Amino acid sequence: MIPPHIGIIMDGNGRWAKGRGLARSAGHLEGLNAAKRIVKAASDLGVRYLTLYTFSTENWKRAAEEVAFIFDLVKQYLCGELAFYRENGIRIRHAGDFSGLPPDVKQELEDAIAETAGFTGMQVILALNYGGRDEIVRAANRALAADQAGDGRPFSEAIFEAHLDNPDVPPPDLIIRTAGEFRTSNFMLWQGAYAELYVSPKFWPDWDKPDLMAAIENYSSRERKFGGVSE
Ligand code: IPE
Ligand code: IPE
Ligand code: MG
């Protein structure tokens, strides 16, 4: 079964480059190529939502040059792929703190979101300046603001969820992390509560369609109980 929503923690760009005696930027560049391959593969396989963890709220700790290089790649990706999005009906969306993005990235992101808004194929959600804790705090503040005229009763999960970044997007069914790390690094903390986790030892720049298919096949063998018991 194809999981409707896959989230990917695309990790290992730096190690991929290091192993080749290259600068970290070379790893990010190859990482972009891997992202293009996997977006196409996921779309062809019939995935409905693909969330790509592209830059975390903690990645600002990196050297300014590395951060600038990553944002340059993101801009290239957003403005260079429009024909591909159109051909494949791919809709671009964003998760994360938009207000904290560099102005030029905001502009490209807004343009790509607007230009693909009517496309009805797979949705690619770029988690950019994204942190799960940050999203929860922003959602809590929005929920409080919305409740100002309300009765002050405690929020339900459903009311709270409606204030997350993309409330219409169903939670991820499968979360993949590459480069062998067994942690979420602040990815989709709320939505990922019942996601199936899959860790691949391969570095992200080496990822291709067969790796995605292997992850999906592994997912298909899982029994999802959501706290219930087997039939
Ligand atoms: C993932 O690769 C890309 C981002 C986090 C932006 P890394 O840059 O984290 O690669 P490693 O973990 O250093 O190998
Ligand atoms: C997670 O990778 C963030 C993204 C893939 C964008 P990191 O490389 O930042 O995570 P840690 O530091 O190893 O936990
Ligand atoms: Mg990393």
Side-chain angles (χ1 to χ4, degrees), residues 9-18 24 27-28 31 53-56 59 62 66 70 177-179 181 183 203-205:
I9 302 168
M10 308 180 290
D11 197 19
N13 294 353
R15 278 162 281 174
W16 181 92
K18 197 174 179 200
R24 294 181 60 82
H28 294 312
Y53 201 9
T54 307
F55 190 87
S56 76
N59 286 148
R62 299 187 181 201
E66 179 172 349
I70 292 170
R177 181 159 188 156
T178 64
E181 236 58 80
R183 56 175 172 267
F203 296 140
W204 176 248

Side-chain angles (χ1 to χ4, degrees), residues 162-215:
H163 295 282
L164 291 169
D165 286 346
N166 295 297
D168 61 303
V169 174
D173 303 285
L174 170 63
I175 292 178
I176 296 169
R177 181 159 188 156
T178 64
E181 236 58 80
F182 286 76
R183 56 175 172 267
T184 64
S185 300
N186 207 7
F187 183 62
M188 300 197 100
L189 297 184
W190 177 280
Q191 300 91 331
Y194 276 98
E196 295 296 326
L197 307 178
Y198 180 86
V199 174
S200 159
K202 271 197 185 181
F203 296 140
W204 176 248
D206 289 325
W207 254 59
D208 207 343
K209 189 173 185 178
D211 302 297
L212 182 65
M213 288 169 70

Side-chain angles (χ1 to χ4, degrees), residues 97 99 132-149 155 159-165 190:
D97 178 11
S99 70
R133 290 178 176 178
D134 178 70
E135 183 187 18
I136 289 169
V137 169
R138 285 185 295 102
N141 281 314
R142 287 194 286 250
L144 280 171
D147 191 51
Q148 256 156 22
F155 299 131
I159 287 172
F160 177 78
E161 270 180 350
H163 295 282
L164 291 169
D165 286 346
W190 177 280

